[in-house]
Amino acid sequence: MATIKFIPPQMGAVDNYSVRALRSSPPRLLLKDLSVLLTVLPYLPLIFFPLNTKSKEPKLRGAAKFKSIGNDFTQALLGLLETVLMILFIPAIIALPGLVFFGVALLCILILRLIAWPTQGPRILYSADDPSISHTTDLHPHERWVFINGICTGSSGLQANIDRLSYLFGRQVLGIHNRSGGMLADLLECMIQRCLDYKTMDARVACEIVKEYLMDKRVEKLVLVAHSQGGIIASMVVDAMLTELPAQMIGKLEIYTFGSAASHFHDPPASSVDARSSAPFPAQTTTIPYIEHYANEYDMVPRWGVLYATCKLLTNRYAGNVFIRDKATGHMFVDHYLDPIFPITKRGNRKAVVKGKAGQASGSGDGNVLNGNGHLEEALSYLDAVVDVDDAIPLKRRNSTPPKPLVELRDQKDHGRLQNHQIPASTNGNARPNAHGMVDGFDAIGGDALMEQAARGKTVKELSRLWRYLGGNSPEEMQKQDSKDRAFGRTTSQGTRGA
């Protein structure tokens, strides 16, 4: 069974955390990003391995297979040319006159763009109509699913990704194409996005779509899935929405990232923690109710992104649960993330389950991932693994020194140094600890400790939410069924026995 490390979400006082951009200048951030990237480069070859996975998903055929091969060839060619140009960059600056160097550089950029052009399709794609999930997609008219792809992904790759998501979760998925210019160009763009907060056209399109869905009164839930560089774009989208929309609208959002390259994730406090809660975690305390990050330990991109941001930058703001597959390699979205977490063991092995008016389950498909109660029948090693809670990270967070103030702020009345940096979330301005030692908006005594204790002995299935959407299911419906099972003493979908 797979070993899954789990890093609890940040729940400490708000003055303990801050994003890098508020503490350092852009040049310093760029230099730091470059230095960290160089340290993880030895993991670069591992992003392609393992080459063969156990997935039994329908194979690409005809034009789709041809496009996929064409995209792989184009990415390999771009990577080779960009590497050669990078090696020749310094000699060219020394040997060529200024205007000549400028002209040659423009010519090289133009050639690279022309090579990449065949892989770049529309900005927005939709998952293909699949008869096997048509009966489940109509059951969720108030949900919207959006996916943002990562580096080195062509239009055909994005189509394959959203089709796989649609097949797994029984929803129509809208894909936002984060266009690729080759691996080195994509990594450079990642650095610019992370350090300069530059919103590319893909990021601007994502902001517009997400905002439109969140403002739509017909939409009750928006699930945003992101891979690799798409995680950076998702974090930029969150930053934009937090400045433009009220918390009630943003509360519709759920975010799930895989191999994220993002350097931060905001999720402001919204309510108090109730330590008495019987939920897998204490009561929700943030504006965005659910954020989950999945990463492979030896994947270069998250080692530069989510893993570095959460494990090394202890005072950096990075919201959400982090699940790390121990000693796992690979960065491909389907082959190295979806396959190990949500494997398809045989063609069609995904049964969509819905609850009818009479309480009877119905569905179609020749396999049984979900049974009549809306629970997983087939044991999935990833989801059934008891997590190895990383208690060192929360401890380091609690013992870490808050970011040093950039200036010394003194009280205007007594001119003494301000001691209380706590920012209350209450609207009346009177923030006082409640009966559970909480101040509205954050944990006054150590929310990280509560999260750490709550996660011990639990499986990925008990801590994760995303899997509950499998086969067109709904987390809310499965929770209702779990409550019924516990009432009758049956085994629940989380693998626990009701009292």
Side-chain angles (χ1 to χ4, degrees):
M1 182 172 288
T3 300
I4 310 300
K5 296 179 181 178
F6 177 75
I7 300 179
Q10 295 175 346
M11 294 300 299
V14 293
D15 65 331
N16 284 345
Y17 303 107
S18 178
V19 296
R20 298 185 312 157
L22 297 179
R23 315 302 307 178
S24 301
S25 65
R28 178 174 293 184
L29 290 177
L30 283 168
L31 289 175
K32 184 62 177 179
D33 255 19
L34 180 60
S35 67
V36 176
L37 180 60
L38 292 176
T39 63
V40 300
L41 275 183
Y43 296 94
L44 178 61
L46 299 180
I47 67 175
F48 305 104
F49 295 96
L51 295 176
N52 296 317
T53 64
K54 298 180 181 179
S55 173
K56 303 300 181 183
E57 67 169 325
K59 302 299 181 182
L60 296 175
R61 300 180 185 277
K65 185 175 182 179
F66 177 79
K67 289 180 179 179
S68 178
I69 295 174
N71 178 74
D72 293 343
F73 175 79
T74 300
Q75 290 297 331
L77 179 60
L78 287 170
L80 177 62
L81 292 177
E82 289 171 351
T83 302
V84 172
L85 291 174
M86 183 178 65
I87 295 173
L88 296 176
F89 181 75
I90 298 299
I93 291 180
I94 298 174
L96 298 176
L99 290 178
V100 176
F101 172 80
F102 184 72
V104 171
L106 286 179
L107 179 62
C108 291
I109 292 174
L110 178 60
I111 292 174
L112 292 174
R113 284 187 171 273
L114 288 175
I115 293 174
W117 179 76
T119 68
Q120 298 178 352
R123 294 281 181 185
I124 296 176
L125 293 175
Y126 295 89
S127 55
D129 292 331
D130 187 342
S132 68
I133 66 169
S134 60
H135 59 286
T136 65
T137 55
D138 296 336
L139 297 175
H140 312 284
H142 303 297
E143 286 186 19
R144 299 293 183 272
W145 283 58
V146 175
F147 173 73
I148 308 174
N149 65 271
I151 63 174
C152 302
T153 304
S155 180
S156 60
L158 173 60
Q159 187 67 60
N161 289 343
I162 59 178
D163 286 348
R164 177 62 179 269
L165 286 173
S166 179
Y167 180 78
L168 279 174
F169 298 108
R171 271 85 168 172
Q172 290 294 331
V173 182
L174 181 151
I176 299 174
H177 191 197
N178 169 34
R179 294 179 174 179
S180 173
M183 179 173 290
L184 293 182
D186 289 352
L187 289 175
L188 177 61
E189 187 177 76
C190 286
M191 292 179 63
I192 294 174
Q193 288 176 321
R194 284 161 50 116
C195 302
L196 305 182
D197 195 31
Y198 173 66
K199 294 178 176 58
T200 60
M201 182 62 177
D202 315 311
R204 296 194 293 271
V205 169
C207 287
E208 183 175 291
I209 291 174
V210 169
K211 182 178 180 179
E212 183 175 343
Y213 281 153
L214 292 179
M215 293 179 64
D216 192 338
K217 294 181 179 180
R218 298 169 298 177
V219 177
E220 297 176 359
K221 182 189 298 181
L222 172 59
V223 177
L224 178 60
V225 183
H227 171 238
S228 185
Q229 186 184 5
I232 301 177
I233 296 176
S235 70
M236 300 174 82
V237 168
V238 170
D239 292 346
M241 297 304 103
L242 289 173
T243 63
E244 296 187 11
L245 297 180
Q248 184 178 6
M249 289 183 179
I250 300 174
K252 302 177 184 180
L253 187 61
E254 297 181 15
I255 300 176
Y256 305 95
T257 75
F258 297 84
S260 172
S263 60
H264 75 275
F265 249 96
H266 277 130
D267 192 8
S271 62
S272 300
V273 172
D274 184 356
R276 303 168 302 173
S277 173
S278 60
F281 276 138
Q284 186 53 247
T285 65
T286 54
T287 302
I288 301 173
Y290 303 99
I291 301 180
E292 296 175 359
H293 308 285
Y294 299 85
N296 291 333
E297 183 179 13
Y298 294 149
D299 180 357
M300 184 195 82
V301 177
R303 290 186 76 90
W304 183 49
V306 57
L307 298 185
Y308 178 75
T310 55
C311 299
K312 302 295 184 181
L313 302 178
L314 299 177
T315 60
N316 180 62
R317 172 61 71 184
Y318 212 103
N321 301 331
V322 182
F323 300 90
I324 307 170
R325 197 157 61 102
D326 191 39
K327 295 180 174 59
T329 62
H331 184 63
M332 303 299 105
F333 179 58
V334 173
D335 293 344
H336 303 139
Y337 281 102
L338 293 188
D339 275 352
I341 302 175
F342 311 113
I344 299 176
T345 56
K346 64 180 180 177
R347 179 71 180 271
N349 194 8
R350 177 201 52 76
K351 186 175 182 180
V353 177
V354 297
K355 302 292 290 183
K357 291 183 179 180
Q360 301 296 321
S362 63
S364 65
D366 56 1
N368 289 309
V369 167
L370 298 171
N371 64 23
N373 290 326
H375 302 154
L376 285 177
E377 277 186 354
E378 181 178 297
L380 304 178
S381 60
Y382 185 102
L383 295 175
D384 289 332
V386 176
V387 298
D388 179 12
V389 180
D390 192 332
D391 52 5
I393 298 299
L395 179 62
K396 290 179 180 178
R397 287 174 183 166
R398 294 194 293 273
N399 295 334
S400 63
T401 303
K404 183 179 179 181
L406 299 177
V407 296
E408 185 158 335
L409 185 61
R410 296 183 179 277
D411 189 274
Q412 293 182 0
K413 293 183 178 180
D414 58 15
H415 302 286
R417 182 73 176 92
L418 288 177
Q419 298 297 323
N420 187 0
H421 302 289
Q422 296 175 347
I423 304 174
S426 57
T427 56
N428 59 11
N430 298 319
R432 297 182 179 179
N434 61 24
H436 309 294
M438 303 300 305
V439 173
D440 288 342
F442 63 89
D443 182 3
I445 58 175
D448 278 349
L450 294 175
M451 296 301 172
E452 179 189 338
Q453 294 169 9
R456 291 193 178 280
K458 288 187 168 56
T459 64
V460 175
K461 192 187 298 183
E462 292 176 289
L463 299 175
S464 168
R465 177 178 171 87
L466 180 59
W467 74 274
R468 292 174 174 269
Y469 289 103
L470 282 173
N473 244 24
S474 167
E476 291 77 16
E477 290 298 320
M478 293 186 73
Q479 204 162 14
K480 291 179 182 178
Q481 185 63 45
D482 283 348
S483 299
K484 293 180 181 178
D485 287 346
R486 282 193 291 268
F488 290 97
R490 294 195 295 260
T491 301
T492 70
S493 64
Q494 293 182 349
T496 58
R497 176 73 62 177

